Amino acid sequence: GAVVSQHPSRVICKSGTSVKIECRSLDFQATTMFWYRQFPKKSLMLMATSNEGSKATYEQGVEKDKFLINHASLTLSTLTVTSAHPEDSSFYICSAQGTDLETQYFGPGTRLLVL
Amino acid sequence: AQSVTQLGSHVSVSEGALVLLRCNYSSSVPPYLFWYVQYPNQGLQLLLKYTTGATLVKGINGFEAEFKKSETSFHLTKPSAHMSDAAEYFCAVSDWTGSYQLTFGKGTKLSVIP
């Protein structure tokens, strides 16, 4: 149980284009999902907290107009990187809050490369 | 504010030897603590967690951790390392009084030498 998927697993795009990443909780409903960014050999940096049916809460320093988050259902949250640039290249990981609230279940991550 | 310090960015052990990964935390409230493991190019997998109750917590793959309030520590151990344990390990503390956000340590890369 508590499986989280992400799609795509890897994406390469041209500078200036937008990329959408999906995060799904497969066997449970998640009111809250989290989006993280991980740089090579670094820890996870929380970007935003996504709540179903409401606006996401962004961490300080994260551009909400660049990283659009939509949590349209209890099993799906999306992250759209708008007008992507090479510096947006990174590993993006989502997590879904379990029914116990305290545990986060992580997706496998999406590797984004912007050329 | 909460924080996590993982001592040692890289730990090497021989196969069959004891694994000890150190984690110290800072929290203004009783902490909820977690250990996650990450294999290359993958997401994080929950190893174990401490919320309340017994301070010695057992997790998957033979790992366990002990919450020591007096030392503000939550070190991860495994009696005998296996080659498959080679991975990145993250300790985290939860803001359970608010949004349940996790604050992660910087991670410790475990290498297992055959």
Side-chain angles (χ1 to χ4, degrees):
Chain A
V3 178
V4 177
S5 70
Q6 274 185 249
H7 179 80
S9 59
R10 179 175 297 199
V11 57
I12 301 173
C13 69
K14 293 182 179 180
S15 185
T17 61
S18 294
V19 174
K20 179 185 285 188
I21 302 170
E22 294 185 347
C23 177
R24 294 182 184 271
S25 55
L26 299 184
D27 50 3
F28 66 104
Q29 293 184 330
T31 304
T32 301
M33 292 184 175
F34 301 89
W35 286 96
Y36 296 85
R37 183 172 178 176
Q38 186 178 33
F39 293 97
K41 301 185 187 300
K42 297 289 186 182
S43 187
L44 282 75
M45 181 191 80
L46 179 65
M47 298 175 65
T49 301
S50 168
N51 293 293
E52 188 268 338
S54 63
K55 291 184 178 181
T57 302
Y58 291 83
E59 294 301 298
Q60 190 173 7
V62 178
E63 299 176 61
K64 62 180 181 181
D65 294 330
K66 180 167 189 62
F67 298 99
L68 300 179
I69 291 172
N70 183 272
H71 195 154
S73 77
L74 289 173
T75 59
L76 174 64
S77 176
T78 60
L79 168 68
T80 301
V81 183
T82 62
S83 186
H85 288 93
E87 57 265 30
D88 298 323
S89 298
S90 192
F91 193 52
Y92 292 88
I93 306 176
C94 73
S95 70
Q97 188 178 50
T99 52
D100 62 0
L101 301 183
E102 65 211 27
T103 305
Q104 290 183 28
Y105 297 95
F106 285 80
T110 296
R111 177 77 59 192
L112 171 63
L113 178 60
V114 184
L115 301 177
Chain B
Q2 298 176 304
S3 66
V4 174
T5 301
Q6 290 183 239
L7 296 176
S9 59
H10 192 183
V11 171
S12 292
V13 299
S14 298
E15 190 174 16
L18 172 71
V19 175
L20 171 60
L21 304 182
R22 299 179 185 273
C23 172
N24 289 88
Y25 69 90
S26 173
S27 177
S28 56
V29 297
Y32 283 10
L33 296 160
F34 302 78
W35 275 100
Y36 284 89
V37 61
Q38 184 180 34
Y39 296 98
N41 297 310
Q42 294 186 26
L44 277 68
Q45 180 182 12
L46 179 66
L47 278 177
L48 49 80
K49 65 180 180 181
Y50 168 80
T51 55
T52 58
T55 57
L56 182 61
V57 180
K58 295 185 184 300
I60 62 172
N61 301 339
F63 285 94
E64 62 181 37
E66 186 171 12
F67 169 62
K68 292 187 176 181
K69 182 179 178 181
S70 61
E71 298 177 8
T72 61
S73 69
F74 191 57
H75 302 331
L76 181 71
T77 61
K78 182 174 180 178
S80 176
H82 192 272
M83 295 298 294
S84 61
D85 295 327
E88 189 90 22
Y89 291 80
F90 292 95
C91 181
V93 61
S94 170
D95 174 24
W96 58 269
T97 62
S99 61
Y100 289 91
Q101 290 180 2
L102 290 176
T103 299
F104 286 90
K106 293 186 176 181
T108 298
K109 182 177 181 179
L110 175 66
S111 296
V112 181
I113 305 167

